[in-house]
Amino acid sequence: MKLPPFFEENRIAVDAALDRLLPAETTQPPSIHTAMRYSVFAGGKRIRPILCVEAARIFSSDVTPALHPACALEFIHTYSLIHDDLPALDNDDLRRGKPTCHKKFGEALAILAGDGLLTLAFETIGATPVPAERSAAILTEVAGAAGTVKGMVGGQVADIEAERKPVDAKMLEYIHRSKTAALIRASVTSGALCAGAGLDDVARLRRFGETIGWAFQVTDDILDVEESSAALGKTAGKDLAQQKATYPAVYGLERSHQIANELATKAIAELSPYADRASRLRQIAEFLVLRRT
Ligand code: FPP
Ligand code: MG
């Protein structure tokens, strides 16, 4: 699908900021910095940073400070992919069209590269050039979303523990909202907080982010069934092979498509008070359920 030019403009700005914020490959110890850079620059779509920057743009014309939380979110996302691919978790050889971090650098460095990225994320948020109360609010928001209570790590635990078991709709919703939607929600809210949004706006964007993040994971489940490994840059068909708790497994493909669209519509409705100021967030939301990779 053809994307509006602001996607590519943001991607270029985000990649330049990631390059500035990551230690050089030559920084001691070079092995870990090489591994961290390898995975960050392996070709991700940069969805979370783009959501962060475009949420900031609703409240401020200067979105440069938002590049800090934007990059922090990409660091956390990349750490989660590195660890998710480890033999002890999903055990995958291919990610973003390349060998996974542990295939390229060995398990020990892959674990530590993930740890390094997670730590760098919080250092990066702490250095955001905004008043301290804003960066503190962003830290709280992102740490919660990445954590164990309705956050990414908790969702990942539930995801692993649901393998090869009958899963009900409630548990499936918990897994998707925690494993994936929480970090996407934090991408939106951290951009808004960075740009000085008030409590009501942050609450509204939290609902938008959570709902579009949920739709994003339903779409991810659908793509795992419908697309090839070459298209996805990761091993397709794995959810079925590992008997994962997914929307297609519980609801079937047709209903899963409907659910993703219903969630996207619900998310986009939250943006109505912003009218044209939210047109980019609306386009990102549409892309997240129409994407094929
Ligand atoms: C693909 O994102 C990633 C997801 C759909 C999230 C899946 C959740 C995890 C792997 C959580 C793992 C957590 C731990 C703690 C190990 P994307 O399509 O944006 O990927 P891209 O950046 O490669 O484009
Ligand atoms: Mg997984």
Side-chain angles (χ1 to χ4, degrees), residues 125 131-143 189-190 193-194 206:
I125 293 174
E133 63 269 20
R134 288 193 200 172
S135 51
I138 297 168
L139 278 170
T140 307
E141 196 79 13
V142 174
T189 51
S190 61
L193 285 164
C194 193
R206 188 172 284 124

PDB file of all heavy atoms in Angstrom, residues 125 131-143 189-190 193-194 206:
ATOM      1  N   ILE A 125      14.844   8.593  27.909  1.00  0.00           N
ATOM      2  CA  ILE A 125      13.662   9.357  28.363  1.00  0.00           C
ATOM      3  C   ILE A 125      14.103  10.398  29.398  1.00  0.00           C
ATOM      4  O   ILE A 125      13.658  11.551  29.374  1.00  0.00           O
ATOM      5  CB  ILE A 125      12.576   8.427  28.943  1.00  0.00           C
ATOM      6  CG1 ILE A 125      11.997   7.558  27.827  1.00  0.00           C
ATOM      7  CG2 ILE A 125      11.452   9.247  29.601  1.00  0.00           C
ATOM      8  CD1 ILE A 125      11.014   6.503  28.305  1.00  0.00           C
ATOM      9  N   PRO A 131      10.490  20.005  30.644  1.00  0.00           N
ATOM     10  CA  PRO A 131      10.482  20.136  32.099  1.00  0.00           C
ATOM     11  C   PRO A 131      10.423  18.759  32.777  1.00  0.00           C
ATOM     12  O   PRO A 131       9.794  17.834  32.247  1.00  0.00           O
ATOM     13  CB  PRO A 131       9.212  20.946  32.384  1.00  0.00           C
ATOM     14  CG  PRO A 131       8.951  21.699  31.111  1.00  0.00           C
ATOM     15  CD  PRO A 131       9.439  20.822  29.997  1.00  0.00           C
ATOM     16  N   ALA A 132      11.085  18.677  33.951  1.00  0.00           N
ATOM     17  CA  ALA A 132      11.264  17.373  34.614  1.00  0.00           C
ATOM     18  C   ALA A 132       9.941  16.666  34.898  1.00  0.00           C
ATOM     19  O   ALA A 132       9.876  15.435  34.866  1.00  0.00           O
ATOM     20  CB  ALA A 132      12.048  17.563  35.902  1.00  0.00           C
ATOM     21  N   GLU A 133       8.865  17.447  35.174  1.00  0.00           N
ATOM     22  CA  GLU A 133       7.611  16.730  35.493  1.00  0.00           C
ATOM     23  C   GLU A 133       7.066  15.999  34.254  1.00  0.00           C
ATOM     24  O   GLU A 133       6.426  14.962  34.372  1.00  0.00           O
ATOM     25  CB  GLU A 133       6.551  17.651  36.126  1.00  0.00           C
ATOM     26  CG  GLU A 133       6.050  18.787  35.289  1.00  0.00           C
ATOM     27  CD  GLU A 133       6.870  20.076  35.481  1.00  0.00           C
ATOM     28  OE1 GLU A 133       8.027  19.985  35.959  1.00  0.00           O
ATOM     29  OE2 GLU A 133       6.364  21.161  35.133  1.00  0.00           O
ATOM     30  N   ARG A 134       7.370  16.533  33.065  1.00  0.00           N
ATOM     31  CA  ARG A 134       6.923  15.819  31.859  1.00  0.00           C
ATOM     32  C   ARG A 134       7.733  14.542  31.654  1.00  0.00           C
ATOM     33  O   ARG A 134       7.173  13.482  31.363  1.00  0.00           O
ATOM     34  CB  ARG A 134       7.082  16.705  30.612  1.00  0.00           C
ATOM     35  CG  ARG A 134       6.073  17.815  30.563  1.00  0.00           C
ATOM     36  CD  ARG A 134       6.069  18.461  29.182  1.00  0.00           C
ATOM     37  NE  ARG A 134       5.469  19.787  29.254  1.00  0.00           N
ATOM     38  CZ  ARG A 134       5.457  20.660  28.272  1.00  0.00           C
ATOM     39  NH1 ARG A 134       6.026  20.372  27.107  1.00  0.00           N
ATOM     40  NH2 ARG A 134       4.890  21.835  28.412  1.00  0.00           N
ATOM     41  N   SER A 135       9.063  14.632  31.784  1.00  0.00           N
ATOM     42  CA  SER A 135       9.858  13.408  31.560  1.00  0.00           C
ATOM     43  C   SER A 135       9.552  12.364  32.631  1.00  0.00           C
ATOM     44  O   SER A 135       9.530  11.159  32.346  1.00  0.00           O
ATOM     45  CB  SER A 135      11.352  13.699  31.455  1.00  0.00           C
ATOM     46  OG  SER A 135      11.779  14.471  32.527  1.00  0.00           O
ATOM     47  N   ALA A 136       9.242  12.818  33.862  1.00  0.00           N
ATOM     48  CA  ALA A 136       8.881  11.853  34.916  1.00  0.00           C
ATOM     49  C   ALA A 136       7.568  11.153  34.557  1.00  0.00           C
ATOM     50  O   ALA A 136       7.422   9.932  34.751  1.00  0.00           O
ATOM     51  CB  ALA A 136       8.753  12.568  36.261  1.00  0.00           C
ATOM     52  N   ALA A 137       6.615  11.910  34.023  1.00  0.00           N
ATOM     53  CA  ALA A 137       5.328  11.300  33.636  1.00  0.00           C
ATOM     54  C   ALA A 137       5.531  10.298  32.503  1.00  0.00           C
ATOM     55  O   ALA A 137       4.910   9.226  32.476  1.00  0.00           O
ATOM     56  CB  ALA A 137       4.338  12.393  33.224  1.00  0.00           C
ATOM     57  N   ILE A 138       6.425  10.635  31.570  1.00  0.00           N
ATOM     58  CA  ILE A 138       6.697   9.711  30.450  1.00  0.00           C
ATOM     59  C   ILE A 138       7.354   8.430  30.981  1.00  0.00           C
ATOM     60  O   ILE A 138       6.986   7.321  30.574  1.00  0.00           O
ATOM     61  CB  ILE A 138       7.589  10.391  29.381  1.00  0.00           C
ATOM     62  CG1 ILE A 138       6.865  11.589  28.768  1.00  0.00           C
ATOM     63  CG2 ILE A 138       7.991   9.400  28.288  1.00  0.00           C
ATOM     64  CD1 ILE A 138       7.760  12.497  27.914  1.00  0.00           C
ATOM     65  N   LEU A 139       8.310   8.596  31.913  1.00  0.00           N
ATOM     66  CA  LEU A 139       8.975   7.419  32.501  1.00  0.00           C
ATOM     67  C   LEU A 139       7.955   6.473  33.130  1.00  0.00           C
ATOM     68  O   LEU A 139       7.994   5.261  32.909  1.00  0.00           O
ATOM     69  CB  LEU A 139       9.966   7.853  33.588  1.00  0.00           C
ATOM     70  CG  LEU A 139      11.345   8.312  33.143  1.00  0.00           C
ATOM     71  CD1 LEU A 139      12.104   8.930  34.309  1.00  0.00           C
ATOM     72  CD2 LEU A 139      12.145   7.151  32.575  1.00  0.00           C
ATOM     73  N   THR A 140       7.036   7.041  33.914  1.00  0.00           N
ATOM     74  CA  THR A 140       6.028   6.219  34.591  1.00  0.00           C
ATOM     75  C   THR A 140       5.165   5.482  33.570  1.00  0.00           C
ATOM     76  O   THR A 140       4.875   4.286  33.698  1.00  0.00           O
ATOM     77  CB  THR A 140       5.148   7.119  35.489  1.00  0.00           C
ATOM     78  OG1 THR A 140       6.018   7.871  36.339  1.00  0.00           O
ATOM     79  CG2 THR A 140       4.183   6.333  36.319  1.00  0.00           C
ATOM     80  N   GLU A 141       4.769   6.220  32.539  1.00  0.00           N
ATOM     81  CA  GLU A 141       3.895   5.673  31.495  1.00  0.00           C
ATOM     82  C   GLU A 141       4.580   4.507  30.752  1.00  0.00           C
ATOM     83  O   GLU A 141       3.994   3.449  30.552  1.00  0.00           O
ATOM     84  CB  GLU A 141       3.611   6.819  30.515  1.00  0.00           C
ATOM     85  CG  GLU A 141       2.477   6.626  29.579  1.00  0.00           C
ATOM     86  CD  GLU A 141       1.110   6.872  30.207  1.00  0.00           C
ATOM     87  OE1 GLU A 141       1.014   7.428  31.323  1.00  0.00           O
ATOM     88  OE2 GLU A 141       0.137   6.463  29.569  1.00  0.00           O
ATOM     89  N   VAL A 142       5.828   4.721  30.373  1.00  0.00           N
ATOM     90  CA  VAL A 142       6.537   3.715  29.568  1.00  0.00           C
ATOM     91  C   VAL A 142       6.927   2.515  30.434  1.00  0.00           C
ATOM     92  O   VAL A 142       6.784   1.358  30.010  1.00  0.00           O
ATOM     93  CB  VAL A 142       7.768   4.348  28.877  1.00  0.00           C
ATOM     94  CG1 VAL A 142       8.599   3.298  28.164  1.00  0.00           C
ATOM     95  CG2 VAL A 142       7.317   5.426  27.884  1.00  0.00           C
ATOM     96  N   ALA A 143       7.404   2.785  31.650  1.00  0.00           N
ATOM     97  CA  ALA A 143       7.803   1.672  32.526  1.00  0.00           C
ATOM     98  C   ALA A 143       6.611   0.759  32.810  1.00  0.00           C
ATOM     99  O   ALA A 143       6.725  -0.469  32.764  1.00  0.00           O
ATOM    100  CB  ALA A 143       8.392   2.211  33.827  1.00  0.00           C
ATOM    101  N   THR A 189       0.705   8.151  24.289  1.00  0.00           N
ATOM    102  CA  THR A 189       0.603   9.033  25.466  1.00  0.00           C
ATOM    103  C   THR A 189       1.937   9.726  25.751  1.00  0.00           C
ATOM    104  O   THR A 189       1.953  10.878  26.194  1.00  0.00           O
ATOM    105  CB  THR A 189       0.142   8.261  26.721  1.00  0.00           C
ATOM    106  OG1 THR A 189       0.955   7.103  26.882  1.00  0.00           O
ATOM    107  CG2 THR A 189      -1.304   7.843  26.610  1.00  0.00           C
ATOM    108  N   SER A 190       3.061   9.059  25.494  1.00  0.00           N
ATOM    109  CA  SER A 190       4.343   9.718  25.791  1.00  0.00           C
ATOM    110  C   SER A 190       4.574  10.885  24.836  1.00  0.00           C
ATOM    111  O   SER A 190       5.112  11.918  25.250  1.00  0.00           O
ATOM    112  CB  SER A 190       5.503   8.730  25.793  1.00  0.00           C
ATOM    113  OG  SER A 190       5.626   8.126  24.548  1.00  0.00           O
ATOM    114  N   LEU A 193       2.282  13.660  26.245  1.00  0.00           N
ATOM    115  CA  LEU A 193       2.840  14.224  27.489  1.00  0.00           C
ATOM    116  C   LEU A 193       4.051  15.105  27.190  1.00  0.00           C
ATOM    117  O   LEU A 193       4.223  16.174  27.777  1.00  0.00           O
ATOM    118  CB  LEU A 193       3.264  13.095  28.435  1.00  0.00           C
ATOM    119  CG  LEU A 193       2.130  12.347  29.149  1.00  0.00           C
ATOM    120  CD1 LEU A 193       2.641  11.030  29.735  1.00  0.00           C
ATOM    121  CD2 LEU A 193       1.513  13.221  30.247  1.00  0.00           C
ATOM    122  N   CYS A 194       4.872  14.659  26.274  1.00  0.00           N
ATOM    123  CA  CYS A 194       6.086  15.384  25.911  1.00  0.00           C
ATOM    124  C   CYS A 194       5.735  16.777  25.369  1.00  0.00           C
ATOM    125  O   CYS A 194       6.445  17.749  25.628  1.00  0.00           O
ATOM    126  CB  CYS A 194       6.826  14.563  24.855  1.00  0.00           C
ATOM    127  SG  CYS A 194       8.486  15.108  24.571  1.00  0.00           S
ATOM    128  N   ARG A 206      -4.939   7.838  25.466  1.00  0.00           N
ATOM    129  CA  ARG A 206      -4.675   6.515  26.049  1.00  0.00           C
ATOM    130  C   ARG A 206      -5.697   5.512  25.502  1.00  0.00           C
ATOM    131  O   ARG A 206      -5.347   4.402  25.121  1.00  0.00           O
ATOM    132  CB  ARG A 206      -4.751   6.611  27.578  1.00  0.00           C
ATOM    133  CG  ARG A 206      -4.319   5.349  28.284  1.00  0.00           C
ATOM    134  CD  ARG A 206      -4.227   5.543  29.796  1.00  0.00           C
ATOM    135  NE  ARG A 206      -3.042   6.285  30.168  1.00  0.00           N
ATOM    136  CZ  ARG A 206      -3.026   7.409  30.876  1.00  0.00           C
ATOM    137  NH1 ARG A 206      -4.159   7.924  31.320  1.00  0.00           N
ATOM    138  NH2 ARG A 206      -1.904   8.004  31.163  1.00  0.00           N
TER     139      ARG A 206
END
